[in-house]
C-alpha cells in the first residue's frame, strides 16, 4: 500500500479504513473527457441520416432512404365504441420514430389527461354527438389523425 489513508472512519468499530488510492475515497473526482471524434462517432450511430453525402456511400444512402420510406408513420386502426354514457376509444399506428406523442381532443378541446395513451375511456351525455380526434406525431414531424363522430348511448352497457 502507498500509505495514504482515507478520512477517519470506522467500519463497525474496526478502526481507520485504508485506501490504496485517493480516487477510491471520493467518487466525485471521476471525470471523463470526450474527444471530438468520439462525439462525432456517437452522433453518426444515433443519427445515420445526418451524415454528409461525402461521408456515406451511395448504397447506404439509398438503403437508408428506402428504410425511411417504408417506416413512414401510418394509422393502422382506430375506433370508438359507445357504451352507456361512455366511449371506449383506441388508436393503433406503425412506422413511428421516437419520440411519439398522442394527443386527444373532444369537441375541439384538447384533453391533456388522455395524452400519450392509445386507449381511453371518455364520458359523455346521452343522445349528444361528439367529435373525438386523436393526433399521433413522431420525432420526424410526421403526424396522422384519427377522427370519429359517435352518438352517446343511454341505458345499460
Amino acid at each position: 500500500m502507498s500509505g495514504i489513508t482515507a478520512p477517519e472512519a470506522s467500519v463497525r468499530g474496526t478502526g481507520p479504513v485504508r485506501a490504496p488510492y485517493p480516487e477510491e475515497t471520493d467518487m466525485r473526482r471521476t471525470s471523463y473527457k470526450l474527444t471530438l471524434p468520439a462525439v462525432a462517432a456517437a452522433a453518426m450511430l444515433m443519427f445515420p441520416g445526418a451524415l454528409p453525402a461525402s461521408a456515406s456511400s451511395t448504397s447506404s444512402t439509398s438503403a437508408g432512404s428506402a428504410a425511411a420510406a417504408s417506416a413512414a408513420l401510418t394509422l393502422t386502426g382506430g375506433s370508438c365504441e359507445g357504451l352507456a354514457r361512455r366511449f371506449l376509444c383506441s388508436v393503433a399506428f406503425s412506422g413511428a420514430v421516437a419520440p411519439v406523442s398522442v394527443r386527444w381532443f373532444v369537441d375541439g378541446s384538447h384533453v391533456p389527461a388522455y395524452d400519450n395513451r392509445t386507449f381511453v375511456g371518455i364520458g359523455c351525455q346521452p343522445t349528444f354527438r361528439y367529435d373525438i380526434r386523436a393526433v399521433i406525431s413522431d420525432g420526424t414531424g410526421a403526424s396522422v389523425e384519427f377522427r370519429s363522430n359517435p352518438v352517446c348511448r343511454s341505458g345499460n352497457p
Side-chain angles (χ1 to χ4, degrees), residues 13-76:
T14 59
V17 176
R18 294 179 149 289
Y21 303 105
E23 292 82 24
E24 291 181 10
T25 62
D26 188 4
M27 295 304 292
R28 292 176 292 164
R29 293 184 188 182
T30 304
S31 65
Y32 300 96
K33 292 182 181 178
L34 295 176
T35 62
L36 185 57
V39 173
M44 285 187 245
L45 289 174
M46 292 175 55
F47 306 105
L51 289 174
S54 62
S56 63
S57 67
T58 56
S59 62
S60 67
T61 304
S62 61
S65 60
S70 67
L73 176 63
T74 56
L75 184 67
T76 59

Side-chain angles (χ1 to χ4, degrees), residues 7-8 17 26 45 51 61 64 68 70 75 77 79 91 96 100-101 107 109 115-117 132 134 140 145 147 157:
E8 288 296 319
V17 176
D26 188 4
L45 289 174
L51 289 174
T61 304
S70 67
L75 184 67
S79 68
V91 293
V100 178
S101 69
D107 287 336
S109 297
D115 281 357
N116 300 319
R117 297 180 186 197
I132 299 174
T140 65
E145 181 177 293
R147 187 177 286 247

Side-chain angles (χ1 to χ4, degrees), residues 65-128:
S65 60
S70 67
L73 176 63
T74 56
L75 184 67
T76 59
S79 68
C80 278
E81 292 290 324
L83 299 177
R85 300 178 185 269
R86 179 163 297 279
F87 298 116
L88 298 179
C89 299
S90 66
V91 293
F93 54 90
S94 65
V97 176
V100 178
S101 69
V102 180
R103 295 181 48 152
W104 289 90
F105 299 85
V106 177
D107 287 336
S109 297
H110 177 226
V111 185
Y114 300 152
D115 281 357
N116 300 319
R117 297 180 186 197
T118 57
F119 183 81
V120 296
I122 302 171
C124 62
Q125 183 67 33
T127 71
F128 285 91

